[in-house]
Amino acid sequence: MAALSRKWDPLFVLVLGSLVFSCKGDVLKTSNDRTESISATKIEESSPQAADLGDLRQSDEAESNEDRKAFTPPPPNDQFQEEMVIRPLYSGDIYASFQFRTQWDTDFLHDGKKVSHYRLFPKSLGQVLSKFSVRELHISFTQGYWRTMQWGQPFIPSPPGAELWVWFHHTVTDVDGNWKELTNVLSGIFCASLNFIDSTNTVEPSASFKPLGLGNATDHRFLRYATLPREIVCTENLTPWKKLLPCGSKAGLAVLMKSEKLFHSSFHSQAVHIRPVCKDWQCTSTAWELRQTLNVVFDLYTSGQGKKEWSLFKMFSRTLTEACPLASSSKIYVDVTDNPGGELFDLSPSSPLISTAVVLGDRRTYSVYDLTKKETFGQLRSLNLLLRWKGESDDMLRPPLHAERYVSGFGLQKGEIHTCLYNSHPYRAYPVLLLDSLPWYLRLYVHTLTVTSKTRENKPSYIHYQPSKDRLRPHLLEMLVQLPPHSVTEVTVQFERALLKWTEYTPDPNHGFYIGSSVISALVPSIVAMDTNSTRDRPLFSSFFPTKEESSYFMRVYTEPLLVNLPTPDFSMPYNVICLTCTVVAVGYGSFYNLLTRTFQVDEPSAPLAKRLANIIRRLRGVPLL
Amino acid sequence: MGLLSDPNRRKAITSLLTRLNTPICVVCYLAGIAWFMGLAFEPFTLRTYMSENAMGSTMVEERFPSGERALATAREFAAHKKKVGGMPVDWLVKTMRAQGLEVFTQSFSRNLPFPDESKERFVVRGTNVYGILRAPRAPRTEALVLSAPCSPGNSNNQAVGLLLGLAQYFRSQIYWAKDIIFLVNEHDLIGVQAWLEGYHHTNITGMGYTPLQGRAGSIQAALSLELNSDVVTSLDLVLEGLNGQLPNLDLANLFHAFCQKLGILCTIQGKLQRSDWDTVEGYTHSAQTMLLMVLKQASGRPWGEHGLFLRYHIEAASIRGVNSFRQYKTDATSIGRLFEGMVRKLNNLLERLHQSYFFYLMPSLTRFVSIGYYMPAFGLLTTILLLRALDLWVHLGTPTPVTEDGVGEGESPSSPGLLSVLTPVVISHLTGVALYTLPVLSQEMAVEHFPVSETEAVVLTAIAIYTAGLALPHNTHRLISGEGTEQGWRVLKLVALLYLAVLLGCTALINFSLGFILAVTLVPAAACVTPHVPKALSAVAMVLLSPGCTILYCVFLFQELQEVPVSLAEGWMLFLSVISQGILDHALYGSLVYPLLALLVYPCWLLFWNILFWK
């Protein structure tokens, strides 16, 4: 527990330390609340993953998973849980989020003891963890951009392309070497181009990425973060990802993952998160947790011809018949918050189990389908959830934080990157951490960095800038910005486009160069805490003081990547250039060289013979010549 | 290379060049003109071909079914437009949103420097509506733009209807890799300018606009649609953009390829292609087409909405529906399919269009003249200037026969040099500055004192300053340096010739047509002028070859080529409106023709005028 409470410290020390002079009282209060909540409340709430569905529990079983873990019989010291959440989005799309959690009470990093017997935990990953002394590993592959303004917030955010961040164990001496090898190994495991991660796109963020698992690592020398915004994600990445599951795609929720359906969607994101967690409630020893997540958004507009109706079969072209036999729990959650009386849509078959939880700062209600129970599958022995819309959903509440980014200006010499951060909260200001990692070929004019909100300058309380080195290191810009309530904060910085060496251009240079997403991490005041009018049905005694664990929650927002055109030579040109320069050199240089080296003499007409003879005689006599 | 070091051979060449200077110049001029006119002759030009692989081999199927529905939408749009009396913003937002697009609006306002009489506007306020179709699984990095103007009156309703129809159809397709922006803009070019400036967050023309809320990354290509009738007989492709910029030739090829595929008649400069290139009529036809393109390009103004996109390195073209009395008609479904096909191929692009030519002239849709072919014509004309300059240089360098007896003569050529040259240069440039600034600045005063409207005031002030410039500077050098010498005008002419050569060369690199047209009229004037020719006759010739008159000829030629000949009075009125449009284009969109003519070309011509009256 002590370790757990400490793991958030670095961020808070930073947040508080930098806010102490500048921030408003309410923020300070939030942060105080926050620290209190860490020490006082349950483990999951203190971690940002509290927002995740892994921690979504029915209200009657409030104990943590670790708690339940303590009662399981000892022999198999690993367990597997699978879960799917379906959320109808306001835009009419459907968000389906899978989570598979494998927990194993073992220690990969223990010296001398080699872990060789694997049961549920994938061996390929286990070996990687122990070989490279990885403390925490987060990798995501995303195709598409999460449209926060239409879809709300995702359970697990990820940037377009590939993202990898790893905390190494503090005993590692050659972090860069390990990182290099690790990326190459992961590139093989996931069939992705992670081997393109090198020093030119790797950064060590000082504040934005803190360990999510156990551990009090604060030294960001052991952290590596890299994104590949150009990475295309397709079935070749999905197959190895599915193979890491204990049941593969043979049974359980994973049977739904047919790639032709998953990639016929508006958004696709798959991720693997590995971290050390507490083994039990007392946290006497650690266990390893592997979370595999897959998020898909289906666009029913294109596939459904405008008819708003969906079912498991329509989305995945499969129905469910069983849970994964190895899973200790296997559940489907359907978000029915906006449908309390059933006036918005019909859900069939209906489920008697209802669970509520605070997810992403909002109190949500879920219908729960437990796949481990026979009666879930009904008479047909197959579960095909069907949801039929009846009414039009009203407008979505604006998410409290979203961001967008674009390049302004025209021409190929200079440009300006604008990052707009929107705080939609009506009365609360809160600080956000902005991380920008820009490749070296954009030469940043850091003196032009401005942060403005409501047309006034907004001085960041903390700036960490690491300048780039050509062909070696990207720019790293991290800053802590206070976002005033209900405002747009604009961060702009100008840059100059560098001229690359001709071998450094990609094969398609006129496509442009990708600049990875900015990362915005924040503790956002929750919507539940905003609800002081108690419009929702809840007991009065619970609603006077904002409940601590609900008062704010961790949120990470990724902006869109940028496509920047660099000055590109016409690559058919070298031939012409060679011809032209050779001619110029031959003609110009040749004649100049000729001029310079030639000795000029006055061309005297030769003297007559008699005079020459006379001169010879005069020379002999020592008399001046004629 | 003995040329540099062997004085004898050098002497031989220079003497040859000076001796035969005039004949060579005449030959060069005639050859230049002939070369240029030869460009329209089909055997001398190249056939267009698709360079971009991503657009060439990939086949797309056009399935757009709902042309009729698009026309119904157009009628609905027209009704709402009439009801609101302008752009039906709310209706558009609602319609686009119902189609599943992300819809945003942008309002803008712009005060024109003086009222635009042809379009009857002075203070422009409007709103652009655009909807973004987000491509599935694309990270918002690339976009295509389809735009249609919401024009006043009854025009262009079908374009908006078709745009909305396409939006609806595109929304239900899965294959998009780039976001597609459907833009309906108000106040034609001003709206587009506001939107583009908002999208790129720049402000180059003093436009007032609200910032854009939604973006879709870097725009790869744009197509603008203008359609006035339910059926069309042909589609006209408009390429000429701001400052004579042209989109990549592949965009024209793409349009032509789809017109062929769908059996739609397509034209460029409103002229159909003829197959009889070997007859006189065939040649005249393609020469007319090419000349029209040259004139349009030289004007430097955007000839369609696409013209403003080009500045932002977005390949763009306007497609204009023409409904004439021809029997063969094309319906909205086919036009929709044409657009679908073009957008799908642009969607397949991996890189920006860059494979094909950016500098070309088109004598017909299937033929093009690349920069390598047309530049020699211009080169031949500028050679004249260089030859004359060389001739002068040689004359200045070698002692004249007079100096044989006098010793002090060697000093005199250099002594009046700098001051006598600099004075006319400075004065004529000051006149140029006056011509550039005064018309707009003094319009209020002119309106107070004369019974004219603001537009007329601006144009007439410009013409007045232009004419006054003829009287002003040509005697001033005498005040400073006393009597002008023979050497003085030669030095001045040498400077002016080189200045003109550089000026025209730079212009032609950016906008070949403008450079060439200026060269055709200015070069003979510059080459022939000396103080020793008959004054009155040469003065008339000089005025007739001045830049202002060049514009007048271009106006008449343009009308002639468009087969709407005008009388002298109408031509004069057109000329006045062309000048006011030129000044407006400069203020509104940053067109550079007006400042180029006022600040550089006109002063340069004044220098030659100065030489004519050298005393």
Side-chain angles (χ1 to χ4, degrees), chain A residues 4-20:
Chain A
L4 271 173
S5 63
R6 232 179 297 137
K7 76 183 178 189
W8 267 96
D9 280 355
L11 179 63
F12 288 117
V13 166
L14 214 145
V15 170
L16 285 172
S18 47
L19 281 180
V20 126

Side-chain angles (χ1 to χ4, degrees), chain A residues 360-413:
Chain A
L360 300 170
D362 195 7
R363 198 180 301 278
R364 313 296 298 182
T365 316
Y366 293 90
S367 272
V368 185
Y369 297 83
D370 191 345
L371 299 188
T372 49
K373 296 208 175 78
K374 264 248 157 56
E375 57 268 25
T376 314
F377 296 102
Q379 297 284 312
L380 296 166
R381 301 191 166 279
S382 105
L383 176 66
N384 181 24
L385 285 174
L386 183 75
L387 196 143
R388 202 177 278 112
W389 254 268
K390 289 193 290 192
E392 280 291 312
S393 56
D394 47 351
D395 273 349
M396 185 183 70
L397 201 65
R398 275 171 81 95
L401 173 68
H402 83 275
E404 61 175 28
R405 194 156 70 134
Y406 58 92
V407 179
S408 76
F410 57 90
L412 288 177
Q413 199 202 349

Side-chain angles (χ1 to χ4, degrees), chain A residues 20-95:
Chain A
V20 126
F21 300 109
S22 63
C23 71
K24 290 178 181 164
D26 53 355
V27 184
L28 205 57
K29 201 183 94 221
T30 329
S31 309
N32 282 337
D33 289 351
R34 183 76 202 150
T35 27
E36 270 175 49
S37 80
I38 287 165
S39 50
T41 55
K42 294 190 294 280
I43 296 160
E44 281 73 28
E45 261 69 22
S46 69
S47 103
Q49 293 280 352
D52 294 345
L53 275 172
D55 300 312
L56 191 71
R57 287 171 311 280
Q58 299 176 4
S59 47
D60 51 344
E61 41 168 64
E63 306 92 329
S64 67
N65 291 317
E66 284 77 12
D67 201 5
R68 203 185 324 139
K69 175 78 197 68
F71 301 112
T72 48
N77 59 350
D78 49 357
Q79 58 161 342
F80 173 68
Q81 292 166 288
E82 55 178 11
E83 213 170 69
M84 173 164 79
V85 186
I86 294 171
R87 187 164 93 191
L89 300 170
Y90 290 93
S91 58
D93 301 333
I94 298 290
Y95 177 27

Side-chain angles (χ1 to χ4, degrees), chain A residues 143-145 147 150 160 263-268 299 301-302 404 406 408-410 418 422 490 508-511 514 560-563 565 587 591 594-595 598 600, chain B residues 1 4-5 98-100 102 134-142 168 171-174 199-202 204 212-215 218 220 311-313 350-352 354:
Chain A
Q143 185 72 3
Y145 180 73
R147 305 169 196 169
Q150 278 83 44
F263 290 100
H264 196 106
S265 57
S266 300
F267 176 83
H268 171 96
D299 180 4
Y301 203 99
T302 50
E404 61 175 28
Y406 58 92
S408 76
F410 57 90
H418 289 246
Y422 294 82
E490 203 170 3
D508 52 350
N510 283 289
H511 180 65
Y514 281 86
E560 49 268 74
L562 300 174
L563 189 60
N565 278 87
V587 174
S591 52
N594 192 346
L595 263 180
R598 184 173 291 192
F600 289 90
Chain B
M1 280 306 284
L4 287 167
S5 50
Q99 289 172 346
E102 281 179 33
R134 296 289 182 194
R137 280 170 292 109
R140 296 191 176 178
T141 46
E142 293 172 285
Q168 178 145 37
R171 178 67 180 85
S172 56
Q173 305 306 317
I174 192 74
Y199 194 92
H200 295 94
H201 200 107
T202 52
I204 35 180
L212 259 58
Q213 292 297 315
R215 284 187 173 77
S218 78
Q220 305 288 306
R311 167 183 297 167
Y312 299 89
H313 194 14
L350 296 176
E351 303 181 64
R352 269 173 199 278
H354 69 283

